[in-house]
Amino acid sequence: MTMSDKNSRTLSLLTLNTLGTPFFAPDITKRYKKIAELINEENYDIVCLQELFSYYHLLIFRKYLKNFPYVAFCPNPLGPRGGLVIFSKTKLTDTNFFTYSFPKEASVPFYAPISQPGMLISKCRDYQINIATTHLSSDIEHDLTPKNRLYALIKNQLEECANVVKRYAKNNDSFILAGDFNIAKESQLYKNFKSETSLEDIFISKNKPTYDPTRIKYFYKAKEGICDYVWLKTVTKQVAVAKTSYAFEDQYILSNHKKSFLSDHIGLLCTLSVNE
């Protein structure tokens, strides 16, 4: 898809799973401060964060992301529902949260009802594009098969996510969906989701693992692999992918002088061209 420079402008989006499990994630406050400082220095327009579970840690980002005056999330008793937050330099409107259900036949981890996994959606008013982020339930095998105990749960979450995407598409709304899906690119669940939604995986040509358990020493260790995605659906608004890259691949010096990776995930960064 090509567009005239005179009729389009760019929109840059970053998505990152922040490794934010309260009380358990290592150096969480210090990592969050560094992540926020680095984001604030960059020329991002939209930032989608996952695993931001407490209001205290949300406050850290709000304090340091001075260039991002608009924040979208839905409240839970302890923090943002689903651990999902969207920061933006331009106004966000029509925020909605769709909570995934728990099928009777599914194995449900104890933490899932507490965090209430789902899908957070806001409209970026200046661009008239829906921005959504999600984090599906975690598992230790991203390449899920029906024999996996969490297969039924994650399959159900993907189906409910797909239904939301299709509902917005019926309203002729373009859609960007970013987050941690906990499914491998080679898995049947990935293929089914892509087929069902007609979404474009804009990182499909890149094969760098987005999750690596060796980045930060932590008790939770899933298989290394690609499980974070940015999906695009163009309807009335024509949106083209101008550039894709990674963020926060390296180690940084934290305020305690410790050198550390900022998460067990790396960030996905994309620049999009949007017609006027």
Side-chain angles (χ1 to χ4, degrees), residues 162-182:
N163 288 335
V164 174
V165 173
K166 289 187 287 185
R167 194 182 316 163
Y168 274 76
K170 287 182 180 179
N171 296 328
N172 293 323
D173 288 337
S174 295
F175 206 89
I176 300 170
L177 172 59
D180 180 358
F181 285 75
N182 280 312

Side-chain angles (χ1 to χ4, degrees), residues 88-106:
S88 176
K89 290 181 179 176
T90 61
K91 190 169 184 179
L92 299 172
T93 63
D94 304 320
T95 297
N96 287 293
F97 192 97
F98 298 88
T99 304
Y100 299 138
S101 63
F102 303 121
K104 291 182 180 179
E105 71 277 10

Side-chain angles (χ1 to χ4, degrees), residues 15-20 31 35 50-51 134-136 138-139 142 179-183 208-216 218 220 222-229 246-250 252 261-268:
T15 182
L16 176 69
N17 180 321
T18 63
L19 183 56
R31 287 188 296 103
I35 292 170
Q50 302 91 46
E51 291 199 9
T134 189
H135 183 198
L136 274 63
S138 301
D139 78 294
H142 297 138
D180 180 358
F181 285 75
N182 280 312
I183 55 173
K208 184 181 181 67
T210 62
Y211 167 80
D212 183 345
T214 66
R215 286 172 59 85
I216 293 181
Y218 186 48
Y220 176 82
K223 293 168 60 178
E224 175 190 272
I226 298 172
C227 58
D228 302 271
Y229 302 95
Y246 299 112
F248 309 133
E249 297 179 81
D250 302 324
Y252 296 84
F261 291 106
L262 298 183
S263 176
D264 51 1
H265 291 249
I266 59 175
L268 300 182

